[in-house]
Amino acid sequence: MKAEKYVKISYIPVNSLDEATKRITEESLKTPRPDFVEGIMYSLDKGVIMLGTLTSKSEPGKVNSVAAWYKKSFYKHVQTFLTESQTISQPAPNKTEYIPLRDYYHRHSYAKFWIGPTCLPYIDVPVFRYIFGWAAVEDSYTYKLIPRYIRRIFEVNLVLQDFIVPIEKMKMALQFFHDQVEVYPVWLCPVKAINEPGYIKSEGNADKMYMDIGLYGYSGKPDQYEVVKSNKALEQFCLENDCMKGAYADTWLTRDEFGQMFDPTLYNKVRAELNCVHAFPDIYDKICQAGRK
C-alpha cells in the first residue's frame, strides 16, 4: 500500500449492540473496504465506529494531530463524538477529520489505549499533558521501573486480554464478556486470517474475517471477578466458539487446550528441522501460566 500524508477518518456513533456489530461487520466485509476500520465501545450499547481512508490532501481546519503531547488521549477524543441526545431514530451526524499518518499509527500510544490512567490517574489532566506530556512518562519502560509488588496494587481486578472472534459471533462474544467482566472501553479491530499454513487454524479454502475484541481495564464487577476463574471462563468461551487469544496476555490454557485453539503443526516442523527443540522453549511454555510453573 502506498503511504499517504493523511488518514481521513469518519466517526460514526452507534447506539445499540445490534447497530455496532452490524455496522462494523458490513464495513469489514464490503468490497472495496476502507483502508482502516476500528471501533470503540464505551458501554454495551454506546460506541463509535471509525472508518479511515488514506489521502494526500486535507480540508482546511480539519487536520488533527492526535498524537501531539498536549492533546487528550485518543479514546477520550473519540468519546466526544457520542452525545447524550443520540437515539436510534435520530443518530448524531457522522463527523470527519484528517489525521497525519504518523499520528494515526500512534493514536493509542500515549495512553496505551486507555491503560495509562491505571497507574497515572492524572494523565488526561490538560495542565499535566501540556507541561509533562512531551516526556512520554506513559512509556512501558517507566512503568517497569515501579517495583512489582507495588504494580500489583494497580493490577488487582485489571483485565488485559485480546480475543480474536469469528466476526459472525462478535455480538454473542461482546454480550458474554459484558456479563462476565464488564470491562469498558472495548476495542474492536477486524482481523483477516489468510488461508495459509501457520499457527492460526484455517478451515476450508477461503480466508476468514475475525474481530479482535480488546478488553483492557478494570472489571466492572470487582466482587465477582477472580483472576484465574474469570479468565478461565473467557478461555472456555473461546474454545467453544473457535476463537483465539492474543499470545501476549496471561493464559491459563492447558497444553491440550492450547493445541485445540491453535495449530502448531508448521511451528513444530520448523523447530525440528532447525534443531530448536532443545535450544528454545516451546511457545506454550513461554506464555502459559501452567507451562511456566
Side-chain angles (χ1 to χ4, degrees), residues 149-175:
Y149 63 88
I150 295 179
R151 276 189 277 157
R152 292 301 301 169
I153 298 174
F154 299 119
E155 294 170 359
V156 174
N157 292 331
L158 186 64
V159 181
L160 291 174
Q161 296 285 350
D162 274 89
F163 297 104
I164 297 87
V165 179
I167 198 166
E168 67 274 10
K169 297 183 179 182
M170 173 179 44
K171 178 183 174 182
M172 177 176 62
L174 286 170
Q175 183 67 64

Side-chain angles (χ1 to χ4, degrees), residues 25-39:
T25 298
E26 290 175 349
E27 297 295 343
S28 301
L29 297 178
K30 70 166 47 172
T31 304
R33 63 176 65 91
D35 295 318
F36 304 98
V37 180
E38 178 183 15

Side-chain angles (χ1 to χ4, degrees), residues 20-149:
T21 54
K22 182 175 183 292
R23 185 60 187 267
I24 198 169
T25 298
E26 290 175 349
E27 297 295 343
S28 301
L29 297 178
K30 70 166 47 172
T31 304
R33 63 176 65 91
D35 295 318
F36 304 98
V37 180
E38 178 183 15
I40 300 178
M41 297 299 294
Y42 294 91
S43 67
L44 190 61
D45 59 358
K46 291 284 185 181
V48 178
I49 307 301
M50 289 159 275
L51 309 179
T53 304
L54 289 164
T55 178
S56 59
K57 298 180 180 180
S58 65
E59 298 177 46
K62 288 193 173 184
V63 175
N64 186 2
S65 300
V66 296
W69 83 88
Y70 52 86
K71 295 279 189 174
K72 65 174 68 176
S73 298
F74 183 67
Y75 79 100
K76 288 286 190 181
H77 171 63
V78 175
Q79 194 171 14
T80 64
F81 293 96
L82 290 175
T83 64
E84 292 297 328
S85 60
Q86 279 179 240
T87 64
I88 295 177
S89 60
Q90 293 181 326
N94 300 350
K95 296 185 179 181
T96 61
E97 63 183 2
Y98 295 78
I99 300 176
L101 184 60
R102 181 181 178 88
D103 284 53
Y104 179 78
Y105 278 121
H106 284 280
R107 65 197 184 279
H108 292 300
S109 295
Y110 189 91
K112 292 190 173 301
F113 287 84
W114 31 90
I115 290 300
T118 300
C119 53
L120 289 175
Y122 43 84
I123 196 172
D124 273 312
V125 175
V127 173
F128 174 84
R129 288 295 292 264
Y130 190 79
I131 298 176
F132 299 108
W134 59 273
V137 294
E138 85 296 341
D139 191 282
S140 59
Y141 296 106
T142 306
Y143 183 67
K144 290 176 182 178
L145 292 175
I146 303 173
R148 179 64 179 169
Y149 63 88

